Amino acid sequence: MNWFTKTFSSTVGRKIVMSVTGLFLCSFLVVHLLGNLQLFRNDGGEAFNLYSDFMAHNGLIRTMEWVLLAGFAFHIYDALVLTRRNQAARPIPYQNNHPEENSSWASRNMGLLGTVILVFLIIHLYNFLIPARFDGLDPVNIDDVEYENLYAEVVYAFKQWWYVLIYVLGMIALAYHLIHGFQSAFQTLGLNHKKYTPFIQMFGYAFSVIVCLAFAAIPLYFFFFV
Amino acid sequence: MDLTLKVWRQKDRNSAGQMVTYPIKGISPDMSFLEMLDVLNEDLLLRGEEPIAFDHDCREGICGMCSLFINGRAHGPERGTTTCQLHMRHFADGDTITIEPWRAAAFPVHKDLIVDRSAFDRIQQAGGYISVNTGGVPDANEIPIAKSVADKAFDAATCIQCGACVAACKNGSAILFVSAKVSQLALLPQGQTERYTRVENMVAQMDIEGFGSCTNIGSCAAECPVGISLENIAMLRREFIAAKAASENLP
Ligand code: HEM
Ligand code: SF4
Ligand code: FES
């Protein structure tokens, strides 16, 4: 191994990769949410369909899609390696154990929460990205130009209660993942400071709750109000 | 006080162990936890049974030899306390108390409640030292060190190497211990010469020993008997990043 691979295969190095990719994924969540908020516009999906057409054809966006994929891949790969290592480090469990006396539930269950997010992610991509990119959707005319009607796909999906349920559960898992993960990423990068850490912790909590609530509001809105 | 103890018994490293139940009567609330075990062991000896093996030395909270996972907590239910400083008044008459050894792949059980913590010694040997030429005693205050820095280094240096951090951590991570040792020396002028090599080698040895990785759960610092802070772990990460970027060490 050269010094580079040795750095990033040590437990401390892998966590650095997880924190950088984790924060990058958080920035993706913001962009994704801002785009999706257009679903709340009462325009029959016009703005949203124009936006999804832009996302599908803009070169920079398409490139960033690959960066995003790499971000997920590294985050998930290192999560797997570290979680398995951590299980092997405690082969015999305690018969009487009270970890709730010294730590939060989310912090102890990042692997479980991540797995729920991964399952959600696969369902989510299968719902929207695959049809949008590969299958071809029904056409819709906006100002006499033909676009693909992704909005109709959203309306259709969120009329089924089990999709709504899956999405809400996915967002609850993401919220708990981030309530621990956001502030944890800064500690992983060595940023622990009397001035900044309280702010990071507060911001991370608010960020996790607000972002996940806003995402979860979309399926609920379509199910109950559209 | 009359109590029921459930204690992990294991003949040696290669045998399977199990929990064994011992009723015990007439314990004074002023006894320490280890004195309570002494009473039980006297009983066992009189009955011709093998006494329970457990680690201890100073019995005043400074050496780090005692251990024990008591009722689901490292060093028992009181915070900031080693097992030897835990007193029976924190338990109630009629309680059932479970006593288990530290559980970690890197801390194999020797016998009963005694685990092998030599992995910590090997991590220390990998870099937890400074090299100085011996000679005359240096004058006091020859090397100026700011009070705030000296305090931080001293706080890190209070780690007694008991291993409760590993025992409490869901991942069996030793990072709180390693970070205390790294910070203590990285903060002081005497630690600068080996600064980068130290953190690189100690982290590498920590990984070789089979400890888990840190998920920033924080149970280590919460259960540490001397209150080593998570700030040390952040410092270890900064040292690691700086070392990997700047040191000339190739593997
Ligand atoms: C949008 C999706 C996701 C975001 C924004 C995200 C974000 C984060 C962040 C910020 C951290 C903290 C990193 C640190 O402590 O240094 C983290 C940790 C973690 N993530 Fe994710 N994550 C996502 C998806 C996933 C998925 C799909 C998995 C697993 C299949 C996963 C598994 C984990 C695990 C196991 C940890 C804890 C790692 C450790 O501390 O050792 N995450 N995540
Ligand atoms: S950091 Fe605390 S819990 Fe860990 S070995 Fe040192 S004194 Fe014990
Ligand atoms: S026996 Fe020395 S610290 Fe407990």
Side-chain angles (χ1 to χ4, degrees):
Chain A
M1 270 195 292
N2 65 27
W3 71 270
F4 188 82
T5 51
K6 194 172 174 204
T7 300
F8 289 107
S9 57
S10 88
T11 51
V12 178
R14 283 194 196 280
K15 274 292 312 238
I16 291 169
V17 174
M18 292 217 59
S19 61
V20 171
T21 52
L23 289 177
F24 169 64
L25 294 179
C26 288
S27 74
F28 150 76
L29 288 179
V30 174
V31 177
H32 193 41
L33 178 63
L34 290 179
N36 285 2
L37 286 180
Q38 298 177 79
L39 285 165
F40 288 116
R41 286 173 95 161
N42 209 351
D43 61 357
E46 203 174 295
F48 182 74
N49 279 331
L50 288 174
Y51 163 73
S52 79
D53 182 73
F54 167 79
M55 295 302 269
H57 296 105
N58 182 285
L60 183 67
I61 300 290
R62 297 308 298 269
T63 316
M64 281 311 285
E65 250 175 36
W66 290 103
V67 181
L68 183 63
L69 183 70
F72 269 112
F74 279 112
H75 190 81
I76 293 168
Y77 175 72
D78 274 338
L80 202 77
V81 172
L82 289 179
T83 304
R84 293 192 55 170
R85 183 190 171 97
N86 294 346
Q87 286 165 348
R90 163 76 42 77
I92 304 172
Y94 292 107
Q95 309 213 349
N96 183 3
N97 197 1
H98 287 290
E100 74 284 356
E101 299 286 342
N102 57 40
S103 53
S104 74
W105 182 86
S107 71
R108 297 191 305 271
N109 289 282
M110 292 298 276
L112 173 72
L113 292 167
T115 309
V116 175
I117 299 170
L118 184 61
V119 171
F120 164 78
L121 203 64
I122 292 168
I123 297 173
H124 179 53
L125 293 182
Y126 180 77
N127 272 174
F128 294 118
L129 190 78
I130 306 287
R133 289 285 187 276
F134 305 106
D135 292 357
L137 299 164
D138 292 339
V140 59
N141 280 321
I142 302 173
D143 293 334
D144 293 332
V145 187
E146 200 169 90
Y147 293 94
E148 299 204 341
N149 197 350
L150 188 61
Y151 182 81
E153 202 73 9
V154 175
V155 175
Y156 173 74
F158 293 149
K159 276 297 165 202
Q160 281 135 317
W161 65 267
W162 63 86
Y163 271 142
V164 177
L165 188 68
I166 289 170
Y167 274 68
V168 171
L169 290 179
M171 285 310 108
I172 292 173
L174 183 62
Y176 278 103
H177 195 73
L178 294 183
I179 283 174
H180 175 68
F182 189 92
Q183 52 84 31
S184 168
F186 291 87
Q187 167 81 0
T188 300
L189 291 171
L191 204 162
N192 183 327
H193 193 281
K194 289 197 166 54
K195 281 185 191 156
Y196 312 117
T197 301
F199 172 76
I200 291 170
Q201 287 176 339
M202 217 173 54
F203 182 87
Y205 193 95
F207 176 90
S208 316
V209 173
I210 292 170
V211 166
C212 296
L213 269 182
F215 271 122
I218 296 171
L220 291 170
Y221 169 76
F222 277 89
F223 187 74
F224 289 109
F225 301 112
V226 176
Chain B
M1 301 166 79
D2 297 344
L3 303 161
T4 307
L5 303 183
K6 292 187 171 172
V7 186
W8 182 260
R9 300 302 310 260
Q10 181 171 338
K11 190 159 162 283
D12 56 35
R13 203 181 264 238
N14 301 317
S15 313
Q18 84 272 5
M19 299 296 275
V20 177
T21 305
Y22 300 97
I24 180 167
K25 290 193 192 321
I27 293 298
S28 151
D30 294 333
M31 280 181 184
S32 78
F33 200 83
L34 297 185
E35 284 166 338
M36 184 271 296
L37 285 179
D38 291 338
V39 170
L40 174 61
N41 275 346
E42 293 285 334
D43 265 11
L44 292 176
L45 273 172
L46 287 176
R47 279 190 268 152
E49 289 179 42
E50 178 84 7
I52 299 164
F54 60 88
D55 262 326
H56 63 107
D57 189 15
C58 70
R59 298 213 178 188
E60 52 189 12
I62 54 174
C63 76
M65 263 319 269
C66 60
S67 56
L68 305 188
F69 207 77
I70 303 162
N71 277 350
R73 308 278 301 279
H75 288 301
E78 292 295 302
R79 290 218 167 168
T81 307
T82 53
T83 293
C84 59
Q85 293 288 293
L86 176 67
H87 287 83
M88 296 314 293
R89 56 178 167 270
H90 297 297
F91 299 89
D93 189 37
D95 273 3
T96 298
I97 304 175
T98 57
I99 311 174
E100 297 174 75
W102 288 169
R103 293 291 187 198
F107 285 167
V109 173
H110 258 324
K111 183 181 167 74
D112 296 339
L113 301 170
I114 297 183
V115 298
D116 178 354
R117 286 173 280 186
S118 57
F120 270 14
D121 298 334
R122 290 187 291 276
I123 295 175
Q124 276 288 60
Q125 285 156 11
Y129 53 79
I130 57 166
S131 305
V132 283
N133 294 323
T134 53
V137 179
D139 286 338
N141 297 326
E142 196 182 8
I143 307 170
I145 300 169
K147 172 87 164 73
S148 58
V149 175
D151 283 351
K152 278 195 172 162
F154 186 83
D155 284 347
T158 56
C159 166
I160 53 177
Q161 301 203 26
C162 63
C165 42
V166 176
C169 174
K170 169 181 180 279
N171 307 328
S173 168
I175 201 163
L176 190 68
F177 157 72
V178 179
S179 74
K181 301 301 171 190
V182 166
S183 305
Q184 174 199 337
L185 298 174
L187 283 162
L188 298 175
Q190 294 90 335
Q192 299 311 303
T193 315
E194 289 127 337
R195 184 170 183 175
Y196 289 159
T197 313
R198 173 181 309 115
V199 65
E200 289 185 297
N201 289 352
M202 289 182 86
V203 167
Q205 189 64 33
M206 169 178 92
D207 286 354
I208 289 169
E209 298 293 345
F211 291 106
S213 108
C214 172
T215 315
N216 300 326
I217 292 173
S219 43
C220 52
E223 301 290 18
C224 172
V226 300
I228 298 294
S229 134
L230 296 176
E231 284 172 36
N232 291 296
I233 300 182
M235 174 144 192
L236 175 136
R237 266 97 176 228
R238 292 199 297 278
E239 291 291 307
F240 179 86
I241 294 169
K244 289 299 180 185
S247 86
E248 296 195 334
N249 298 326
L250 296 171

